[in-house]
Amino acid sequence: MERVVTRVTRARSKSIHRAVLTLMLNGIVPIALVSSLAVPKAQAGGVEYVGQGTRALGRGGAFAARADDPMALSYNPAALSLLTGDSQLMLNVQNAFYDACVTREGTYGDQVEPSGVTARFGDFDSYRDTSFPRVCQNNKINPGLWLAYTMRPTKTIGLGFGILTPAAAAHLIWGDGKGGTKDGSLPSPVRYQIAEQDIKLVLPTFGISAKAADWFSLGVSLQWGIALLKNINYTVIEGTENPSEDVRTEINVADYFIPAAIFSAHFIPTDNIDLVVYGRISDDIRAKGDVKVRVGDFAASPLALDKNDQVTLQAAEPAQFGVALRYASRLKAPEAGERGDLMSEERWDLELDATYLVTSQFKNITVDIPTLPFLIPDGLKSDLRHEWQDQVSIRIGGDYNVLPGVLALRAGVHYETSAVSGSYMGIDFQPAQRLGLHAGLTYRVGSVDLSVAYAHIFQETVVVPLNSAAYRQVAKFTPVVVNAGEYASHYDVVSLGATYRFGTIL
């Protein structure tokens, strides 16, 4: 019996086109939405790497207890009432060069029934015995931007506002981004996971801090998350990897209000010690949007079948909690009730941060499609387990003021446990076990601090044997496993920043 998509490509039957579209809307597209668009947010771990902000990146993310620039909004809002100057204006930019490659186990013909040819890749029999080639992520532009302003209207109150983004590789293009290998000569072995993924997340943030005593401050930052998500992958009606039967699926969804809160308490038991406890909680992602599909994408004349009905996706945003301890060798004691300018008044400091990320909250993703006449008369609600597990992040870093008040050098290291079990390893973010080496510096010119930082983040190479692989392609019937193989990745991150300090504390 010829397969549905092959008959569509050959006969161009309008009635069969409608039948294929009905099958996709009832099965493939909803599952694709569920499996591809979950974007949990955390300060690090999960989808993010360690290092929001230039100074923090240079210290290996060990910044919660120091927090001496407006990135306190994200790391430790209680420090807003401890910052030097009447106010500070900060702009930080960075880019993550994310190198990731997958070598799938097997050949093109392992899970294919013979049916049809493709115009783009030629006769399937000519390459069905070819081993899957290595496929890499090809986009090198993954920017982060942090613009923030803080002020101290009194000696005991600190305020701040910022436009923040995650530290993540959010735009991924695998192979040629069109379902083929980079040179376009063969079908991409990872096209059933991702051809292209683009996640834009902006976090307008407002923070407030109150100094309850000279040795104790409390603070909270409130965030309004805005997420725009695009994903392209390939799906099938019945489980097979014959490109003649692939269906291109593009989904675009958005959530314009994801409320979250960051809270912290900052203790200064002595002039040399800072102790901070912190956490972040967030509402779920509830995204709505449209879907676009195309049958016979690799045939001579693909058939576009657009259906722009609204769907809803819900995914948990993992919480995180941590503690930070910092010791500083001071050159002079701070003024009573003040913390002082750490770059001028300290020789060196060393900080240890430990964060627990509840990424096991990210297990079930739910998609809900309302009733559609003739297509989904009863509606559809589906759940999919993602199988993430909790993570622990350990960060150690410090500054050394070579020329106090003029030049500071910094370095750090961080380690994170893996968020994914090997059986469900995929290419969306690859949050494997991580080790990061970090370095940076700040040079002060008058009231301006100019900073630069670099980090190389090693990620564990994960091998998923065929007998334990569990991630299946999106299919209406009998989906096949498509994630057996070797996953290798690492980050190189470069960051630049400038902070302007206005006046002195009244």
Side-chain angles (χ1 to χ4, degrees):
M1 177 179 176
E2 291 183 315
R3 295 181 182 277
V4 176
V5 178
T6 303
R7 293 205 306 270
V8 170
T9 304
R10 292 176 175 176
R12 320 301 287 175
S13 166
K14 293 184 179 180
S15 62
I16 294 180
H17 290 347
R18 288 193 293 268
V20 172
L21 178 58
T22 301
L23 280 172
M24 288 186 294
L25 288 170
N26 277 275
I28 293 177
V29 170
I31 301 172
L33 282 167
V34 172
S35 62
S36 303
L37 280 183
V39 284
K41 165 73 175 67
Q43 190 182 92
V47 306
E48 291 196 56
Y49 58 84
V50 166
Q52 278 189 318
T54 306
R55 290 195 185 189
L57 179 70
R59 291 169 61 91
F63 194 65
R66 184 177 180 97
D68 59 345
D69 72 11
M71 282 308 296
L73 279 167
S74 182
Y75 286 89
N76 173 17
L80 293 172
S81 59
L82 305 176
L83 298 180
T84 57
D86 294 331
S87 57
Q88 295 188 20
L89 177 63
M90 181 202 76
L91 174 63
N92 287 181
V93 294
Q94 70 187 40
N95 189 72
F97 299 90
Y98 179 52
D99 289 303
C101 295
V102 177
T103 306
R104 273 192 64 191
E105 179 181 339
T107 70
Y108 280 98
D110 287 344
Q111 301 183 107
V112 175
E113 293 293 332
S115 61
V117 298
T118 61
R120 179 173 173 186
F121 303 114
D123 187 343
F124 181 79
D125 289 334
S126 68
Y127 60 86
R128 67 177 300 138
D129 295 326
T130 302
S131 297
F132 287 128
R134 185 177 177 87
V135 179
C136 298
Q137 193 285 124
N138 293 310
N139 180 49
K140 303 304 181 185
I141 307 300
N142 289 284
L145 183 145
W146 299 276
L147 175 63
Y149 176 77
T150 60
M151 61 181 298
R152 285 182 62 184
T154 72
K155 288 187 175 183
T156 59
I157 298 294
L159 303 173
F161 175 77
I163 303 296
L164 312 180
T165 62
H171 188 191
L172 308 179
I173 300 175
W174 288 88
D176 64 0
K178 301 176 182 178
T181 51
K182 186 176 182 180
D183 63 2
S185 62
L186 290 170
S188 167
V190 300
R191 67 192 185 279
Y192 298 113
Q193 295 190 49
I194 295 174
E196 181 177 358
Q197 173 180 283
D198 191 8
I199 300 173
K200 295 179 175 65
L201 182 59
V202 180
L203 300 161
T205 304
F206 172 77
I208 184 170
S209 170
K211 187 188 298 183
D214 289 347
W215 54 272
F216 177 57
S217 296
L218 288 171
V220 62
S221 289
L222 303 178
Q223 294 187 317
W224 179 323
I226 302 169
L228 306 175
L229 307 100
K230 170 186 175 181
N231 191 87
I232 299 173
N233 68 354
Y234 285 80
T235 60
V236 293
I237 300 298
E238 185 173 350
T240 180
E241 292 197 45
N242 191 322
S244 294
E245 305 197 12
D246 285 358
V247 179
R248 182 183 185 274
T249 305
E250 178 180 337
I251 45 185
N252 292 273
V253 296
D255 188 344
Y256 295 103
F257 182 54
I258 311 170
I262 303 167
F263 50 88
S264 64
H266 192 129
F267 302 86
I268 308 176
T270 74
D271 291 343
N272 303 92
I273 294 176
D274 293 271
L275 174 64
V276 176
V277 293
Y278 55 88
R280 184 183 189 274
I281 56 175
S282 174
D283 192 14
D284 290 349
I285 296 171
R286 297 179 177 87
K288 297 180 180 180
D290 301 318
V291 61
K292 182 183 296 185
V293 294
R294 189 164 68 214
V295 175
D297 195 45
F298 302 134
S301 301
L303 177 65
L305 299 172
D306 293 345
K307 188 65 182 179
N308 295 316
D309 284 313
Q310 198 169 68
V311 297
T312 301
L313 177 142
Q314 183 170 343
E317 280 262 32
Q320 62 176 359
F321 306 94
V323 60
L325 179 64
R326 188 181 83 101
Y327 177 83
S329 174
R330 297 196 67 97
L331 296 172
K332 58 177 289 188
E335 296 181 12
E338 295 297 330
R339 195 184 187 202
D341 176 23
L342 306 188
M343 188 171 169
S344 298
E345 300 176 11
E346 295 180 350
R347 172 58 70 183
W348 58 268
D349 79 314
L350 184 65
E351 179 173 339
L352 169 65
D353 292 12
T355 305
Y356 188 84
L357 301 114
V358 195
T359 37
S360 61
Q361 292 177 326
F362 186 57
K363 284 187 176 293
N364 293 298
I365 313 167
T366 301
V367 65
D368 192 3
I369 298 181
T371 299
L372 300 174
F374 309 112
L375 295 175
I376 311 177
D378 298 323
L380 179 66
K381 187 171 184 177
S382 300
D383 293 310
L384 184 71
R385 296 184 66 189
H386 206 74
E387 299 298 339
W388 278 21
Q389 57 197 15
D390 290 348
Q391 291 178 274
V392 174
S393 178
I394 303 296
R395 311 160 197 175
I396 301 174
D399 278 29
Y400 182 81
N401 294 318
V402 180
L403 299 173
V406 177
L407 177 64
L409 303 181
R410 60 184 58 93
V413 61
H414 87 271
Y415 169 78
E416 286 184 356
T417 59
S418 176
V420 218
S421 65
S423 296
Y424 290 89
M425 188 68 179
I427 63 173
D428 50 0
F429 299 103
Q430 300 191 40
Q433 187 175 215
R434 294 171 178 166
L435 176 67
L437 303 179
H438 305 246
L441 64 85
T442 294
Y443 181 71
R444 178 170 291 175
V445 182
S447 297
V448 180
D449 289 350
L450 302 174
S451 300
V452 62
Y454 167 79
H456 181 84
I457 302 173
F458 302 88
Q459 294 214 140
E460 174 189 12
T461 296
V462 178
V463 177
V464 183
L466 185 59
N467 60 4
S468 65
Y471 183 91
R472 297 180 180 273
Q473 66 182 168
V474 178
K476 177 66 175 176
F477 305 109
T478 60
V480 298
V481 173
V482 294
N483 74 319
E486 180 184 273
Y487 295 75
S489 60
H490 68 266
Y491 292 87
D492 288 286
V493 187
V494 177
S495 187
L496 302 172
T499 301
Y500 186 86
R501 297 173 298 115
F502 298 85
T504 56
I505 297 299
L506 298 176

